[in-house]
Amino acid sequence: MQAVYADTLRWRDSGAPFGVAGIPLPQASRATDHRVAVESDLTLSDMALATVRALLESSPQVATPTPDQIIVCTTSFEHDLALSCACRLHSELGSSRAPLAVGQLQGVSFLMALEIAVAMMAADIRLNTVVIVAAERWRRPFSRRIGALIDMGDGAAAVLIARHPGPGWRVSGLTVLTPGIPPLASEREPVYTSTLTNVISETCSGADLQPANVDWVLPAPIETRLAREINTRCGLRPERVCHIRMDAPGHFCAADTPARLDALLRSINPSEGQHALVWSAGFQGQAGCALLEFRGGGS
């Protein structure tokens, strides 16, 4: 491990880009930087830390400034590769638990973290609050451009999961699939409709809810035609689909799902027992879906 860190520090100090098998990584163009949201001052962990602190300060369910567990989701890297975002957050927020991070699942990272958080809280009754924070900060030599269609933006979002008696959303269904060997897909359609259809159907079936009875549907921010095809295959009603787009341009990768989910939940006025379904996808066949049920008297 010391040798790995030494190599990392040498690469950082030299500032030399690297690639796979001697093939250099594509450089992010300045034209791309002008098309998407770019954070020019804060580092990845700066963004994550500021977002978590803002969340905790505004959350009445948190009695202390330190959540019981913090889960970090990222796809991009710290500019200083020797620095762990998860370790920094645990240190600065005073957490006594082991750092935990989910990486390289893109739009499914948040749903994987949610699955982990739900399982941990079910297994440990002392675990009362979990914060999931997703952050992306793209810097050279890593490119913002993914294929021909996707430009990555910088951003961060955080979600609090807590046991509390007040009104809130309960996770009533959750399915995440990360295939070991990604299925083939064309560059223009990097989303696997059959995989996503199965994940959505399994989530609704596990919660004993017909897809047509879902009140709000938040699909992945993909091509409208593909999203419509997936929703139709699953039996989700088209008039229930909410196309939430962020004000800032660019694809926010791991931070995209929690940011748009927050925007959706803030924009609606749910009643007891209503459901919101969110599904998302990664770039290599990953798929995830969560079903949330509103409870007026508990969560």
Side-chain angles (χ1 to χ4, degrees), residues 37-43 46-47 137-139 144 154:
V38 175
E39 172 55 54
S40 58
D41 298 321
L42 301 178
T43 67
D46 288 338
M47 295 168 63
R137 171 74 162 87
W138 298 90
R139 297 186 63 168
R144 291 182 180 275
D154 298 338

Side-chain angles (χ1 to χ4, degrees), residues 53-218:
R53 282 176 169 162
L55 172 68
L56 296 177
E57 289 172 0
S58 63
S59 300
Q61 297 89 352
V62 180
T64 65
T66 303
D68 295 327
Q69 179 64 58
I70 307 163
I71 305 177
V72 174
C73 301
T74 63
T75 307
S76 54
F77 298 97
E78 287 277 3
H79 188 59
D80 184 343
L81 294 184
L83 174 65
S84 163
C85 179
C87 289
R88 180 185 174 190
L89 263 63
H90 274 256
S91 175
E92 297 218 19
L93 294 173
S95 174
S96 60
R97 293 179 179 260
L100 184 57
V102 176
Q104 306 309 313
L105 295 182
Q106 297 90 46
V108 181
S109 295
F110 169 74
L111 296 176
M112 173 64 83
L114 182 60
E115 183 178 53
I116 293 171
V118 169
M120 292 177 68
M121 295 181 78
D124 186 353
I125 60 173
R126 297 169 299 175
L127 194 63
N128 292 312
T129 54
V130 177
V131 166
I132 301 174
V133 57
E136 301 289 8
R137 171 74 162 87
W138 298 90
R139 297 186 63 168
R140 293 179 176 85
F142 304 104
S143 176
R144 291 182 180 275
R145 172 61 60 88
I146 305 296
L149 301 176
I150 304 173
D151 289 332
M152 313 300 285
D154 298 338
V159 171
L160 173 67
I161 305 169
R163 306 180 198 268
H164 65 90
W169 292 90
R170 182 178 70 90
V171 179
S172 59
L174 184 59
T175 306
V176 175
L177 180 63
T178 56
I181 302 177
L184 296 176
S186 68
E187 186 181 53
R188 293 192 60 82
E189 295 189 2
V191 174
Y192 315 106
T193 55
S194 60
T195 304
L196 279 162
T197 300
N198 292 337
V199 164
I200 296 169
S201 299
E202 182 178 335
T203 301
C204 292
S205 175
D208 196 23
L209 180 73
Q210 292 296 320
N213 293 332
V214 172
D215 299 285
W216 296 277
V217 179
L218 183 65

